Coordinates of all heavy atoms in Angstrom, one line a residue:
M1 N 144.7 200.9 -90.1 CA 143.3 201.1 -90.5 C 142.5 200.0 -89.8 O 142.9 198.8 -89.8 CB 143.1 201.0 -92.0 CG 141.7 201.1 -92.4 SD 141.4 200.6 -94.2 CE 141.4 198.8 -93.9
S2 N 141.3 200.3 -89.3 CA 140.4 199.3 -88.8 C 139.2 199.3 -89.7 O 138.8 200.3 -90.2 CB 140.0 199.5 -87.3 OG 139.2 200.7 -87.3
T3 N 138.7 198.1 -89.9 CA 137.6 198.0 -90.8 C 136.6 196.9 -90.2 O 137.1 196.0 -89.5 CB 138.0 197.6 -92.2 OG1 136.8 197.4 -93.0 CG2 138.8 196.3 -92.2
N4 N 135.3 197.1 -90.4 CA 134.4 196.2 -89.9 C 133.9 195.3 -91.0 O 132.9 194.6 -90.8 CB 133.2 197.0 -89.3 CG 133.6 197.7 -88.1 OD1 134.4 197.2 -87.3 ND2 133.0 198.9 -87.9
I5 N 134.6 195.2 -92.1 CA 134.2 194.3 -93.1 C 134.5 192.9 -92.7 O 135.6 192.5 -92.4 CB 134.9 194.7 -94.4 CG1 134.5 196.1 -94.9 CG2 134.6 193.6 -95.5 CD1 135.3 196.6 -96.1
P6 N 133.4 192.0 -92.7 CA 133.7 190.6 -92.4 C 134.5 189.9 -93.4 O 134.5 190.3 -94.6 CB 132.2 190.1 -92.3 CG 131.5 190.9 -93.2 CD 132.1 192.3 -93.1
A7 N 135.2 188.8 -92.9 CA 135.9 188.0 -93.9 C 134.9 187.4 -94.8 O 133.9 186.9 -94.5 CB 136.7 186.9 -93.1
L8 N 135.3 187.3 -96.1 CA 134.4 186.8 -97.1 C 135.0 185.6 -97.7 O 136.3 185.5 -97.8 CB 134.2 187.8 -98.2 CG 133.6 189.1 -97.9 CD1 133.6 190.1 -99.1 CD2 132.2 188.9 -97.4
Q9 N 134.2 184.6 -98.1 CA 134.7 183.5 -98.8 C 134.0 183.6 -100.2 O 132.8 183.6 -100.3 CB 134.3 182.2 -98.2 CG 134.9 181.0 -98.9 CD 134.7 179.7 -98.2 OE1 133.8 179.6 -97.3 NE2 135.5 178.7 -98.5
I10 N 134.8 183.8 -101.2 CA 134.3 184.0 -102.5 C 134.4 182.7 -103.3 O 135.4 182.1 -103.5 CB 135.2 185.0 -103.3 CG1 135.1 186.4 -102.5 CG2 134.7 185.2 -104.7 CD1 136.1 187.4 -103.0
A11 N 133.2 182.2 -103.6 CA 133.1 180.9 -104.2 C 133.7 180.8 -105.6 O 134.4 179.9 -105.9 CB 131.6 180.4 -104.2
R12 N 133.4 181.8 -106.4 CA 133.9 181.8 -107.8 C 134.5 183.2 -108.1 O 133.9 184.0 -108.8 CB 132.7 181.5 -108.7 CG 132.2 180.1 -108.5 CD 131.0 179.8 -109.4 NE 131.3 180.0 -110.8 CZ 130.5 180.4 -111.8 NH1 129.3 180.8 -111.4 NH2 130.9 180.5 -113.0
P13 N 135.7 183.4 -107.6 CA 136.3 184.7 -107.8 C 136.5 185.0 -109.3 O 136.8 184.0 -110.1 CB 137.6 184.6 -107.1 CG 137.9 183.2 -107.0 CD 136.6 182.5 -106.8
G14 N 136.3 186.2 -109.7 CA 136.5 186.5 -111.1 C 135.4 186.1 -112.0 O 135.6 186.0 -113.2
S15 N 134.2 185.7 -111.5 CA 133.2 185.1 -112.4 C 132.7 186.1 -113.4 O 132.2 185.7 -114.4 CB 132.1 184.5 -111.6 OG 131.5 185.5 -110.7
S16 N 132.8 187.4 -113.1 CA 132.2 188.3 -114.1 C 133.1 188.5 -115.3 O 132.8 189.2 -116.2 CB 132.0 189.7 -113.4 OG 133.1 190.4 -113.3
R17 N 134.3 187.8 -115.3 CA 135.2 187.8 -116.4 C 134.4 187.2 -117.6 O 134.7 187.4 -118.8 CB 136.4 187.0 -116.2 CG 137.4 187.8 -115.4 CD 138.3 188.6 -116.3 NE 139.2 189.5 -115.6 CZ 139.8 190.5 -116.1 NH1 139.5 190.8 -117.4 NH2 140.6 191.2 -115.4
M18 N 133.4 186.4 -117.3 CA 132.6 185.8 -118.4 C 131.6 186.7 -118.9 O 131.0 186.5 -120.0 CB 132.0 184.5 -117.9 CG 133.0 183.4 -117.6 SD 132.2 181.9 -117.0 CE 132.0 182.3 -115.2
N19 N 131.3 187.8 -118.2 CA 130.3 188.7 -118.7 C 130.7 190.2 -118.5 O 131.0 190.6 -117.4 CB 129.0 188.5 -117.8 CG 128.5 187.1 -117.9 OD1 128.0 186.7 -119.0 ND2 128.6 186.4 -116.8
K20 N 130.7 190.9 -119.5 CA 131.1 192.3 -119.4 C 130.0 193.0 -118.6 O 128.8 192.8 -118.8 CB 131.2 193.0 -120.8 CG 132.4 192.6 -121.5 CD 132.7 193.5 -122.7 CE 134.0 193.1 -123.3 NZ 134.4 194.1 -124.4
T21 N 130.5 193.8 -117.6 CA 129.5 194.5 -116.7 C 129.4 196.0 -116.9 O 128.6 196.6 -116.3 CB 130.0 194.3 -115.2 OG1 131.3 194.8 -115.1 CG2 130.0 192.8 -114.9
G22 N 130.2 196.5 -117.8 CA 130.3 197.9 -118.0 C 129.0 198.6 -118.4 O 128.8 199.7 -118.1
S23 N 128.1 197.9 -119.0 CA 126.9 198.5 -119.5 C 125.8 198.6 -118.4 O 124.9 199.5 -118.5 CB 126.3 197.7 -120.7 OG 126.0 196.4 -120.3
W24 N 125.8 197.8 -117.4 CA 124.8 197.9 -116.3 C 125.3 198.4 -115.0 O 124.5 198.6 -114.1 CB 124.1 196.6 -116.2 CG 124.9 195.4 -115.9 CD1 125.3 194.4 -116.7 CD2 125.5 195.0 -114.6 NE1 126.0 193.4 -116.1 CE2 126.2 193.7 -114.8 CE3 125.5 195.6 -113.3 CZ2 126.8 193.1 -113.7 CZ3 126.2 194.9 -112.3 CH2 126.8 193.7 -112.5
R25 N 126.6 198.7 -114.9 CA 127.1 199.1 -113.6 C 126.6 200.5 -113.3 O 126.4 201.4 -114.2 CB 128.7 199.2 -113.7 CG 129.4 199.6 -112.4 CD 130.9 199.7 -112.7 NE 131.2 200.5 -113.8 CZ 131.8 200.1 -114.9 NH1 132.3 198.9 -115.0 NH2 132.0 200.9 -115.9
T26 N 126.2 200.8 -112.0 CA 125.7 202.1 -111.6 C 126.7 203.1 -111.2 O 126.7 204.3 -111.4 CB 124.6 201.9 -110.5 OG1 123.7 201.0 -110.9 CG2 123.9 203.2 -110.2
Y27 N 127.8 202.5 -110.5 CA 128.9 203.3 -110.0 C 130.2 202.7 -110.5 O 130.3 201.5 -110.7 CB 128.9 203.4 -108.5 CG 127.8 204.2 -107.9 CD1 126.5 203.6 -107.6 CD2 127.9 205.6 -107.6 CE1 125.5 204.4 -107.1 CE2 126.9 206.3 -107.1 CZ 125.7 205.7 -106.8 OH 124.7 206.5 -106.3
R28 N 131.1 203.6 -110.7 CA 132.5 203.1 -111.1 C 133.5 203.7 -110.1 O 133.4 204.8 -109.6 CB 132.8 203.6 -112.5 CG 133.1 205.1 -112.7 CD 133.7 205.4 -114.0 NE 133.0 204.9 -115.1 CZ 133.5 204.9 -116.4 NH1 134.8 205.3 -116.6 NH2 132.8 204.4 -117.4
P29 N 134.6 202.9 -109.9 CA 135.6 203.4 -109.0 C 136.6 204.3 -109.7 O 137.0 204.0 -110.9 CB 136.3 202.1 -108.6 CG 136.1 201.2 -109.7 CD 134.8 201.5 -110.3
V30 N 136.9 205.4 -109.1 CA 137.8 206.4 -109.7 C 138.9 206.6 -108.6 O 138.6 206.9 -107.5 CB 137.1 207.7 -110.0 CG1 138.1 208.7 -110.5 CG2 136.0 207.5 -111.0
C31 N 140.1 206.4 -109.0 CA 141.2 206.5 -108.1 C 142.0 207.8 -108.2 O 142.4 208.2 -109.4 CB 142.2 205.3 -108.3 SG 143.5 205.2 -107.0
D32 N 142.3 208.4 -107.1 CA 143.3 209.6 -107.1 C 144.7 209.0 -107.1 O 145.1 208.5 -106.0 CB 143.0 210.4 -105.9 CG 144.0 211.6 -105.8 OD1 144.9 211.7 -106.6 OD2 143.8 212.4 -104.9
L33 N 145.3 209.0 -108.2 CA 146.6 208.3 -108.3 C 147.7 209.1 -107.5 O 148.8 208.5 -107.2 CB 147.1 208.2 -109.8 CG 146.1 207.3 -110.6 CD1 146.6 207.3 -112.0 CD2 146.0 205.9 -110.0
E34 N 147.5 210.3 -107.2 CA 148.4 211.0 -106.3 C 148.4 210.5 -104.9 O 149.4 210.5 -104.2 CB 148.1 212.5 -106.3 CG 148.3 213.2 -107.7 CD 149.8 213.3 -108.1 OE1 150.6 213.5 -107.2 OE2 150.1 213.1 -109.2
T35 N 147.2 210.1 -104.5 CA 147.0 209.6 -103.1 C 147.3 208.1 -103.0 O 147.8 207.7 -101.9 CB 145.5 209.8 -102.7 OG1 145.2 211.2 -102.8 CG2 145.3 209.4 -101.3
C36 N 147.1 207.4 -104.0 CA 147.3 205.9 -104.0 C 148.8 205.6 -103.7 O 149.7 206.2 -104.2 CB 147.0 205.3 -105.4 SG 147.4 203.5 -105.5
T37 N 149.0 204.7 -102.7 CA 150.4 204.3 -102.3 C 150.8 203.0 -102.9 O 151.8 202.5 -102.6 CB 150.4 204.2 -100.8 OG1 149.5 203.2 -100.4 CG2 150.1 205.5 -100.1
A38 N 150.0 202.4 -103.8 CA 150.3 201.1 -104.4 C 150.4 200.0 -103.4 O 151.2 199.1 -103.6 CB 151.5 201.2 -105.4
C39 N 149.6 200.1 -102.4 CA 149.7 199.0 -101.3 C 149.1 197.7 -101.7 O 149.4 196.7 -101.0 CB 149.0 199.6 -100.0 SG 147.2 199.6 -100.2
T40 N 148.3 197.7 -102.7 CA 147.6 196.4 -103.3 C 146.5 195.9 -102.4 O 146.0 194.8 -102.7 CB 148.6 195.3 -103.6 OG1 149.1 194.7 -102.4 CG2 149.8 195.8 -104.4
T41 N 146.1 196.6 -101.3 CA 145.0 196.1 -100.5 C 143.7 195.9 -101.4 O 143.0 194.9 -101.3 CB 144.7 197.1 -99.4 OG1 145.8 197.2 -98.6 CG2 143.5 196.6 -98.6
C42 N 143.5 196.8 -102.3 CA 142.3 196.7 -103.1 C 142.3 195.5 -104.0 O 141.3 194.9 -104.3 CB 142.1 198.0 -104.0 SG 143.6 198.4 -104.9
V43 N 143.5 195.1 -104.5 CA 143.7 194.0 -105.3 C 143.2 192.7 -104.6 O 142.5 191.9 -105.1 CB 145.1 193.8 -105.8 CG1 145.3 192.5 -106.6 CG2 145.6 195.0 -106.6
S44 N 143.6 192.7 -103.3 CA 143.2 191.5 -102.5 C 141.7 191.3 -102.3 O 141.2 190.2 -102.1 CB 143.9 191.6 -101.1 OG 145.3 191.6 -101.3
F45 N 141.0 192.5 -102.2 CA 139.6 192.4 -101.8 C 138.7 192.4 -103.1 O 137.5 192.0 -102.9 CB 139.2 193.6 -101.0 CG 139.6 193.4 -99.5 CD1 140.8 193.7 -99.0 CD2 138.6 192.9 -98.6 CE1 141.2 193.5 -97.7 CE2 138.9 192.7 -97.3 CZ 140.2 193.0 -96.8
C46 N 139.1 192.8 -104.2 CA 138.2 192.9 -105.4 C 137.7 191.5 -105.7 O 138.5 190.6 -106.0 CB 138.9 193.5 -106.6 SG 137.9 193.5 -108.1
P47 N 136.4 191.3 -105.6 CA 135.8 190.0 -105.9 C 135.9 189.5 -107.3 O 135.8 188.3 -107.6 CB 134.4 190.1 -105.4 CG 134.1 191.5 -105.6 CD 135.3 192.3 -105.3
E48 N 136.2 190.4 -108.2 CA 136.3 190.1 -109.6 C 137.7 190.0 -110.2 O 137.9 189.7 -111.3 CB 135.4 191.1 -110.4 CG 134.0 191.1 -110.0 CD 133.3 189.7 -110.1 OE1 133.8 188.9 -110.8 OE2 132.3 189.5 -109.3
G49 N 138.7 190.4 -109.4 CA 140.0 190.3 -109.8 C 140.3 191.2 -111.0 O 141.1 190.8 -111.9
V50 N 139.8 192.4 -111.0 CA 139.9 193.3 -112.1 C 140.8 194.5 -111.9 O 140.9 195.4 -112.7 CB 138.6 193.7 -112.7 CG1 137.8 192.5 -113.2 CG2 137.8 194.5 -111.6
I51 N 141.5 194.5 -110.7 CA 142.4 195.6 -110.4 C 143.8 195.1 -110.5 O 144.2 194.0 -110.1 CB 142.2 196.1 -108.9 CG1 140.7 196.5 -108.7 CG2 143.1 197.2 -108.6 CD1 140.4 196.8 -107.3
K52 N 144.6 196.0 -111.1 CA 146.1 195.7 -111.2 C 146.8 196.9 -110.5 O 146.3 198.1 -110.8 CB 146.6 195.5 -112.6 CG 146.1 194.3 -113.2 CD 146.6 194.1 -114.6 CE 146.1 192.8 -115.3 NZ 146.5 192.7 -116.7
V53 N 147.8 196.7 -109.8 CA 148.5 197.8 -109.1 C 150.0 197.5 -109.3 O 150.5 196.4 -109.1 CB 148.2 197.8 -107.6 CG1 149.2 198.8 -106.9 CG2 146.8 198.3 -107.4
N54 N 150.7 198.5 -109.8 CA 152.2 198.5 -109.8 C 152.7 199.8 -109.4 O 152.0 200.8 -109.3 CB 152.7 197.9 -111.1 CG 152.4 198.8 -112.3 OD1 152.6 200.1 -112.2 ND2 151.9 198.3 -113.3
K55 N 154.0 199.9 -109.1 CA 154.6 201.1 -108.6 C 154.5 202.3 -109.6 O 154.4 203.4 -109.2 CB 156.1 200.9 -108.2 CG 156.2 200.0 -107.0 CD 155.8 200.7 -105.7 CE 156.0 199.8 -104.5 NZ 155.3 200.4 -103.3
E56 N 154.6 202.0 -110.9 CA 154.5 203.0 -111.9 C 153.1 203.5 -112.1 O 152.8 204.7 -112.1 CB 155.1 202.5 -113.2 CG 156.6 202.3 -113.1 CD 157.0 201.0 -112.4 OE1 156.2 200.0 -112.5 OE2 158.0 201.0 -111.7
D57 N 152.2 202.6 -112.5 CA 150.9 203.0 -112.9 C 149.9 203.1 -111.7 O 148.8 203.7 -111.8 CB 150.3 202.0 -113.9 CG 151.2 201.9 -115.1 OD1 151.8 203.0 -115.5 OD2 151.3 200.8 -115.7
K58 N 150.3 202.5 -110.6 CA 149.4 202.4 -109.4 C 148.1 201.7 -109.7 O 148.2 200.7 -110.5 CB 149.2 203.8 -108.8 CG 150.6 204.4 -108.3 CD 150.4 205.7 -107.5 CE 151.7 206.1 -107.1 NZ 151.6 207.4 -106.3
Y59 N 147.0 202.2 -109.3 CA 145.7 201.5 -109.4 C 145.2 201.6 -110.9 O 145.0 202.6 -111.4 CB 144.7 202.2 -108.5 CG 143.3 201.7 -108.5 CD1 142.8 200.8 -107.6 CD2 142.4 202.2 -109.5 CE1 141.5 200.4 -107.6 CE2 141.1 201.8 -109.5 CZ 140.6 200.9 -108.6 OH 139.3 200.5 -108.6
Q60 N 145.0 200.4 -111.4 CA 144.4 200.3 -112.8 C 143.2 199.3 -112.7 O 143.4 198.2 -112.2 CB 145.4 199.8 -113.8 CG 146.6 200.7 -113.9 CD 146.3 202.1 -114.5 OE1 145.6 202.2 -115.5 NE2 146.9 203.1 -113.9
V61 N 142.1 199.7 -113.2 CA 140.9 198.8 -113.1 C 140.4 198.5 -114.6 O 140.3 199.4 -115.4 CB 139.8 199.4 -112.2 CG1 139.3 200.7 -112.7 CG2 138.6 198.4 -112.1
D62 N 140.0 197.3 -114.8 CA 139.4 196.9 -116.1 C 137.9 197.2 -116.0 O 137.2 196.3 -115.4 CB 139.7 195.5 -116.4 CG 139.2 195.1 -117.8 OD1 138.4 195.8 -118.4 OD2 139.7 194.0 -118.3
L63 N 137.5 198.3 -116.5 CA 136.0 198.7 -116.3 C 135.1 197.9 -117.1 O 133.9 197.9 -116.9 CB 135.9 200.2 -116.6 CG 136.5 201.1 -115.5 CD1 136.4 202.6 -116.0 CD2 135.8 201.0 -114.2
D64 N 135.6 197.1 -118.1 CA 134.7 196.2 -118.8 C 134.2 195.1 -117.9 O 133.1 194.6 -118.2 CB 135.5 195.5 -120.0 CG 135.7 196.4 -121.2 OD1 135.0 197.5 -121.3 OD2 136.5 196.1 -122.1
Y65 N 134.9 194.8 -116.9 CA 134.5 193.7 -116.0 C 134.2 194.1 -114.5 O 133.7 193.3 -113.8 CB 135.5 192.6 -116.1 CG 135.6 192.0 -117.5 CD1 136.7 192.5 -118.3 CD2 134.7 191.2 -118.0 CE1 136.8 192.0 -119.6 CE2 134.8 190.7 -119.3 CZ 135.8 191.1 -120.1 OH 135.9 190.6 -121.3
C66 N 134.5 195.3 -114.2 CA 134.2 195.8 -112.8 C 132.7 195.9 -112.7 O 132.0 196.5 -113.5 CB 134.9 197.2 -112.6 SG 134.2 198.1 -111.2
K67 N 132.2 195.4 -111.5 CA 130.7 195.5 -111.4 C 130.3 196.6 -110.4 O 129.1 196.8 -110.1 CB 130.2 194.1 -110.8 CG 130.7 193.7 -109.5 CD 130.2 192.3 -109.2 CE 130.7 191.8 -107.8 NZ 130.3 190.5 -107.5
G68 N 131.2 197.4 -110.0 CA 130.9 198.6 -109.2 C 130.4 198.4 -107.8 O 129.7 199.1 -107.3
C69 N 131.0 197.3 -107.2 CA 130.5 196.9 -105.9 C 131.0 197.9 -104.8 O 130.4 198.0 -103.7 CB 131.0 195.5 -105.5 SG 132.8 195.3 -105.3
G70 N 132.1 198.6 -105.1 CA 132.6 199.6 -104.1 C 133.5 199.0 -103.0 O 133.9 199.8 -102.1
L71 N 133.8 197.7 -103.1 CA 134.6 197.2 -102.0 C 136.0 197.7 -102.0 O 136.6 198.0 -100.9 CB 134.6 195.6 -102.2 CG 135.1 194.8 -101.0 CD1 134.4 195.2 -99.7 CD2 134.9 193.3 -101.3
C72 N 136.5 198.0 -103.2 CA 137.9 198.6 -103.2 C 138.0 199.9 -102.5 O 138.9 200.2 -101.8 CB 138.4 198.7 -104.7 SG 137.3 199.6 -105.8
A73 N 136.9 200.7 -102.7 CA 136.9 202.0 -102.1 C 136.7 201.9 -100.6 O 137.3 202.7 -99.8 CB 135.7 202.8 -102.6
E74 N 136.0 200.9 -100.1 CA 135.8 200.7 -98.7 C 137.1 200.3 -98.0 O 137.3 200.7 -96.9 CB 134.8 199.5 -98.5 CG 133.3 199.9 -98.7 CD 132.8 200.9 -97.7 OE1 133.2 200.8 -96.5 OE2 132.1 201.8 -98.1
V75 N 137.9 199.5 -98.7 CA 139.1 199.0 -98.0 C 140.4 199.8 -98.2 O 141.4 199.6 -97.5 CB 139.4 197.5 -98.4 CG1 138.2 196.6 -98.0 CG2 139.8 197.4 -99.9
C76 N 140.3 200.7 -99.1 CA 141.5 201.5 -99.3 C 142.0 202.3 -98.1 O 141.2 203.1 -97.6 CB 141.3 202.5 -100.5 SG 142.8 203.6 -100.8
P77 N 143.2 202.1 -97.6 CA 143.6 202.7 -96.3 C 143.8 204.2 -96.4 O 143.8 204.8 -95.3 CB 144.8 201.9 -95.9 CG 145.4 201.4 -97.2 CD 144.2 201.1 -98.1
V78 N 143.9 204.7 -97.6 CA 144.2 206.2 -97.7 C 143.0 206.8 -98.4 O 143.2 208.0 -98.9 CB 145.5 206.4 -98.4 CG1 146.7 206.0 -97.5 CG2 145.6 205.8 -99.8
S79 N 141.9 206.1 -98.6 CA 140.7 206.7 -99.2 C 141.0 207.3 -100.6 O 140.5 208.4 -100.9 CB 140.1 207.8 -98.3 OG 139.7 207.2 -97.1
A80 N 141.8 206.6 -101.4 CA 142.2 207.1 -102.7 C 141.1 206.9 -103.7 O 141.1 207.5 -104.8 CB 143.5 206.4 -103.2
I81 N 140.1 206.0 -103.4 CA 139.1 205.6 -104.4 C 137.8 206.2 -104.0 O 137.3 206.0 -102.9 CB 139.0 204.0 -104.5 CG1 140.4 203.4 -104.9 CG2 137.9 203.6 -105.6 CD1 140.4 201.9 -104.7
T82 N 137.1 206.8 -105.0 CA 135.7 207.2 -104.8 C 134.9 206.5 -105.8 O 135.3 206.2 -106.9 CB 135.6 208.7 -104.9 OG1 136.1 209.1 -106.2 CG2 136.3 209.4 -103.8
M83 N 133.6 206.3 -105.4 CA 132.7 205.7 -106.4 C 131.9 206.8 -107.0 O 131.2 207.5 -106.3 CB 131.8 204.7 -105.6 CG 132.5 203.5 -105.0 SD 133.5 202.5 -106.2 CE 132.2 201.8 -107.2
E84 N 132.0 206.9 -108.3 CA 131.3 207.9 -109.0 C 130.1 207.3 -109.9 O 130.3 206.3 -110.5 CB 132.2 208.7 -109.9 CG 133.3 209.4 -109.0 CD 134.1 210.4 -109.8 OE1 133.9 210.6 -111.0 OE2 135.0 211.1 -109.1
R85 N 129.0 208.0 -109.9 CA 127.9 207.5 -110.6 C 128.2 207.5 -112.1 O 128.7 208.5 -112.7 CB 126.6 208.4 -110.4 CG 125.4 207.8 -110.8 CD 124.1 208.5 -110.2 NE 122.9 207.8 -110.6 CZ 122.4 206.8 -109.9 NH1 123.0 206.3 -108.8 NH2 121.3 206.2 -110.4
E86 N 127.8 206.4 -112.8 CA 127.9 206.3 -114.2 C 127.0 207.2 -114.9 O 125.9 207.4 -114.5 CB 127.6 204.8 -114.7 CG 128.6 203.8 -114.2 CD 129.9 203.8 -115.1 OE1 130.0 204.6 -116.0 OE2 130.7 203.0 -114.8
E87 N 127.4 207.8 -116.0 CA 126.5 208.6 -116.8 C 125.8 207.7 -117.8 O 126.5 207.0 -118.5 CB 127.3 209.7 -117.5 CG 127.9 210.7 -116.5 CD 128.3 212.0 -117.2 OE1 128.0 212.2 -118.4 OE2 129.0 212.8 -116.5
Q88 N 124.5 207.7 -117.7 CA 123.7 206.8 -118.6 C 123.5 207.5 -119.9 O 123.2 208.7 -119.9 CB 122.4 206.4 -117.9 CG 122.6 205.7 -116.6 CD 123.3 204.4 -116.7 OE1 123.2 203.7 -117.7 NE2 124.1 204.1 -115.7
E89 N 123.6 206.8 -121.0 CA 123.4 207.4 -122.3 C 121.9 207.4 -122.7 O 121.1 206.6 -122.2 CB 124.1 206.6 -123.4 CG 125.6 206.8 -123.1 CD 126.4 206.0 -124.1 OE1 125.8 205.3 -125.0 OE2 127.7 206.0 -124.1
Ligands
SF4_101 S1 134.1 198.3 -107.6 FE1 136.3 197.8 -107.0 S2 136.1 195.9 -105.8 FE2 134.2 196.1 -106.9 S3 134.5 195.0 -108.8 FE3 135.0 197.1 -109.3 S4 137.2 197.2 -109.0 FE4 136.5 195.3 -108.0
SF4_102 S1 144.1 200.1 -101.6 FE1 144.2 202.3 -102.2 S2 146.3 202.9 -101.8 FE2 146.2 200.7 -101.9 S3 146.7 200.2 -104.1 FE3 144.5 200.3 -103.9 S4 143.9 202.4 -104.4 FE4 146.1 202.4 -104.0

C-alpha cells in the first residue's frame, strides 16, 4: 500500500482518554471483521490509542474515547474500516 499521509509527531498521544468523546463525535469507525486481517496498522496510527487488535477479535475500538478522526480508515491496507455518520438523538 502506498499512502501520502505525512509522518506525524503526536505530542500527547491518548490525551482524549481524559475526556469522553462519544457525545460530540460526528463519525464513528466501523470495521468489517471479515475483511480485517489483524495487521495492527490502525493501532499504530490511532492518535488516541483506543484501538485493540488481536487474532480472535480483530479490530476493537473504545468508542467512549474515539474522536472520529478517520485516520484508522485512511491507513487500513485492506479498506476494512468505513466512517459512518453518528445518529444524533
Ligand atoms: S477514528 Fe480511528 S484513528 Fe481516529 S480516534 Fe477513532 S479509532 Fe482512533
Ligand atoms: S489496519 Fe485494517 S486490516 Fe489492519 S488491523 Fe486495522 S482494521 Fe484490521
Side-chain angles (χ1 to χ4, degrees):
M1 178 193 80
S2 69
T3 176
N4 293 323
I5 295 173
L8 299 174
Q9 184 170 20
I10 298 169
R12 296 176 59 211
S15 57
S16 79
R17 281 277 174 196
M18 292 180 278
N19 301 293
K20 286 194 175 184
T21 58
S23 61
W24 56 256
R25 184 182 52 240
T26 305
Y27 289 89
R28 69 166 57 195
V30 176
C31 184
D32 177 356
L33 298 179
E34 294 292 320
T35 302
C36 174
T37 61
C39 70
T40 72
T41 300
C42 54
V43 176
S44 301
F45 278 85
C46 176
E48 302 304 334
V50 296
I51 302 173
K52 291 182 180 174
V53 171
N54 62 51
K55 289 291 182 191
E56 290 76 36
D57 301 326
K58 299 189 177 178
Y59 175 98
Q60 302 292 316
V61 58
D62 186 343
L63 290 172
D64 279 347
Y65 299 99
C66 163
K67 62 185 178 185
C69 68
L71 196 50
C72 54
E74 286 290 324
V75 300
C76 177
V78 294
S79 301
I81 304 169
T82 55
M83 298 303 292
E84 296 191 0
R85 194 164 183 88
E86 291 280 1
E87 294 195 10
Q88 302 298 325
E89 295 178 0

